[in-house]
Amino acid sequence: GMDGVYILDSSFENVRYLDVFESLIWTTRYKEPGEFELYIPYTKELLSDLSVGRYVYTNDFYDAASNTAHLMIIESVELDDNHLKVTGRSLRSILARRIIWGQTVIKKKDDNETSITVYEAIKKLVTEAIITPVEPKDFDNPFYPSIHYDMSEERARRVISNFVWDEDSGEWPEITEETQYDCDNLLDAINDLCVKYKVGYEVLLDFDDKCMHMHLIRPVDHSWDQTEAPAVVFSPEFDNLKKSNYIESVEKYKNVAIVRGYRYSDDDIGKFQQTAIRGDASGMARRELYVDQSSLDYENEPHPGDVTGWDSYEEQLKEKGKTELEKKEYSYTKVYDGEADAEAMTDYVFNRDYKIGDTVELITRYGESVEVRVTEMVLSASTSGVTLIPTFEATRYEAEEADNALNQGGDS
């Protein structure tokens, strides 16, 4: 079953342990920050203990071996007649407190022609926004060049001193397309990169050094297709899935992005330089999405008529188009969700035998076997017991297959 909740203050010191509450819903996600909701009878002490900005965690998300935990931050406290409803998001949400200042281009290769990996790209973005900020840069007054502005104090204000990037010398996917970020939200940019290159990340509190450690995770494949790791199988027959739902939807699906870029003029050159197209579906299967990137400027500002800088710029525009197409609302969805009985799931324990982002085997109630990714897990504890509600997304069924199915007008 699910344990109680620990409340920690801003220095991560334990304030209180709660094991009596009406309900606790704890959601962990693969691509975005998780969230929680605690519903508990009101007392004056609780109201002061559960204050906004404090942290909570449960033993289900504590790892004794590394002395780390997935923490949630209390972001909202509501008091109705005689209950407190406390909600918040996981430590990953801290990334949303920073932007990528100015223009930052994630290139495919560095100056020595060495490929840049997704690990290095994400590390750069996090380091420059939170750990050792490079912006805002010092500058001279454009009207009185003798006046110099030292921005070091501003840079220092962006630092979160107990936020740490964990080094990892392993192999990571290489960046295949150049991307430019311009004042994007840091969390959004990192989520985009994770979706594209199929990696995940977490931010955990280490109780030994009281620091928040961010690291990339490689999802583990627990499907039948591999022999590296033990298979994890969800099936109504095993009683670890009480009910399963299936949704397939193309309602908002888009597969071609028409991206508008920086506009120099209304002449032909301007028109040529302002549109990039990502995706090559045609006819009935083509579903267009307009993406406005007119604020995305050239890195080395070519003048009208100069097309040398165009290739790299066009690639950046296409990459922005790809990012939009990959957003949940435009994607072809094939999602299974189930309800698992925590007591019956003795074979596989969440966070021990499989984690969020891992691939597992799912046998539907029709006996079909599907390889799926665990994209969300909800632990729900109340007076009536503990339930686990996993959400699985089909991994094999990629966009090309979706397009083929649509091309045939559904006659597959």
Side-chain angles (χ1 to χ4, degrees):
M2 196 164 180
D3 294 314
V5 179
Y6 295 91
I7 307 170
L8 305 177
D9 64 17
S10 56
S11 331
F12 305 114
E13 298 298 335
N14 208 347
V15 174
R16 184 160 180 181
Y17 175 68
L18 295 176
D19 54 357
V20 180
F21 44 80
E22 273 181 40
S23 71
L24 172 64
I25 303 168
W26 196 275
T27 304
T28 171
R29 293 201 177 83
Y30 180 51
K31 293 173 190 164
E32 50 261 353
E35 64 202 28
F36 82 100
E37 179 188 295
L38 174 67
Y39 194 65
I40 192 164
Y42 162 81
T43 67
K44 203 171 167 184
E45 300 79 51
L46 267 178
L47 186 58
S48 69
D49 286 346
L50 288 164
S51 56
V52 165
R54 284 189 161 171
Y55 304 93
V56 293
Y57 75 97
T58 84
N59 273 329
D60 294 81
F61 291 93
Y62 169 73
D63 179 6
S66 58
N67 198 18
T68 59
H70 277 268
L71 260 54
M72 298 273 189
I73 307 171
I74 299 176
E75 293 182 314
S76 146
V77 181
E78 290 175 41
L79 174 58
D80 63 18
D81 302 334
N82 52 359
H83 277 87
L84 287 172
K85 182 175 140 192
V86 183
T87 58
R89 291 178 297 163
S90 69
L91 290 181
R92 282 199 265 183
S93 66
I94 289 171
L95 298 176
R97 301 182 187 191
R98 295 289 180 275
I99 63 162
I100 296 169
W101 198 307
Q103 279 186 359
T104 300
V105 178
I106 299 294
K107 297 190 160 72
K108 291 189 280 195
K109 291 198 161 70
D110 64 17
D111 300 337
N112 305 321
E113 288 300 299
T114 310
S115 293
I116 291 169
T117 64
V118 64
Y119 168 87
E120 289 159 336
I122 293 175
K123 176 185 175 177
K124 173 185 164 72
L125 295 178
V126 171
T127 304
E128 292 183 357
I130 293 180
I131 298 169
T132 44
V134 294
E135 297 277 3
K137 293 187 171 76
D138 301 344
F139 64 98
D140 294 329
N141 186 309
F143 302 104
Y144 305 99
S146 56
I147 303 176
H148 181 73
Y149 297 96
D150 173 357
M151 303 302 283
S152 54
E153 257 181 55
E154 280 295 342
R155 287 193 293 276
R157 290 188 180 114
R158 303 185 74 204
V159 175
I160 298 175
S161 56
N162 56 350
F163 196 96
V164 179
W165 174 269
D166 283 346
E167 295 295 334
D168 184 317
S169 53
E171 302 262 308
W172 295 96
E174 289 176 3
I175 295 288
T176 52
E177 284 163 282
E178 195 165 291
T179 315
Q180 183 186 133
Y181 294 104
D182 194 352
C183 298
D184 296 69
N185 183 281
L186 180 64
L187 180 71
D188 294 343
I190 288 173
N191 284 349
D192 289 343
L193 285 167
C194 286
V195 171
K196 270 190 197 105
Y197 296 101
K198 296 185 168 54
V199 295
Y201 68 98
E202 31 187 27
V203 181
L204 301 179
L205 176 75
D206 184 327
F207 284 98
D208 295 332
D209 64 8
K210 295 282 202 307
C211 285
M212 298 174 280
H213 289 255
M214 175 167 174
H215 63 272
L216 292 195
I217 38 179
R218 288 182 189 79
V220 179
D221 188 347
H222 288 290
S223 72
W224 283 335
D225 258 8
Q226 50 79 44
T227 50
E228 305 281 305
V232 170
V233 185
F234 283 88
S235 153
E237 281 177 40
F238 295 175
D239 287 337
N240 59 12
L241 214 53
K242 278 197 295 208
K243 54 175 194 253
S244 65
N245 306 316
Y246 165 66
I247 303 164
E248 180 178 12
S249 169
V250 295
E251 190 185 347
K252 298 193 169 84
Y253 177 57
K254 302 284 184 200
N255 55 14
V256 174
I258 314 284
V259 192
R260 175 179 164 187
Y262 185 77
R263 193 173 193 157
Y264 278 103
S265 64
D266 281 333
D267 63 15
D268 291 341
I269 290 167
K271 287 195 179 72
F272 166 68
Q273 291 193 341
Q274 76 193 17
T275 317
I277 301 165
R278 169 77 204 211
D280 54 10
S282 59
M284 272 291 279
R286 185 177 174 96
R287 293 163 177 245
E288 296 178 347
L289 173 71
Y290 169 66
V291 181
D292 185 356
Q293 285 292 328
S294 50
S295 60
L296 190 76
D297 206 344
Y298 285 80
E299 204 191 352
N300 46 358
E301 300 186 19
H303 52 82
D306 167 23
V307 291
T308 49
W310 170 245
D311 293 346
S312 146
Y313 183 66
E314 185 186 29
E315 189 173 277
Q316 291 175 19
L317 287 179
K318 285 182 175 178
E319 192 64 357
K320 291 289 184 188
K322 184 176 184 218
T323 297
E324 282 302 303
L325 289 174
E326 278 166 348
K327 288 194 172 159
K328 210 172 185 171
E329 63 255 45
Y330 304 124
S331 63
Y332 182 101
T333 50
K334 194 164 178 178
V335 175
Y336 300 83
D337 60 14
E339 192 171 305
D341 189 330
E343 307 307 317
M345 287 185 64
T346 44
D347 303 346
Y348 312 116
V349 178
F350 179 58
N351 270 342
R352 184 194 75 189
D353 301 315
Y354 68 100
K355 290 187 158 85
I356 201 85
D358 287 354
T359 305
V360 297
E361 202 73 32
L362 173 72
I363 299 169
T364 66
R365 56 182 131 177
Y366 313 113
E368 179 196 7
S369 172
V370 211
E371 201 175 289
V372 293
R373 184 185 299 292
V374 185
T375 53
E376 181 175 295
M377 180 64 83
V378 181
L379 274 82
S380 173
S382 68
T383 38
S384 56
V386 179
T387 13
L388 283 175
I389 304 167
T391 298
F392 307 107
E393 279 182 25
T395 55
R396 265 195 216 122
Y397 210 76
E398 296 294 340
E400 290 82 56
E401 270 190 63
D403 285 344
N404 291 341
L406 295 171
N407 260 331
Q408 291 153 5
D411 305 330
S412 48

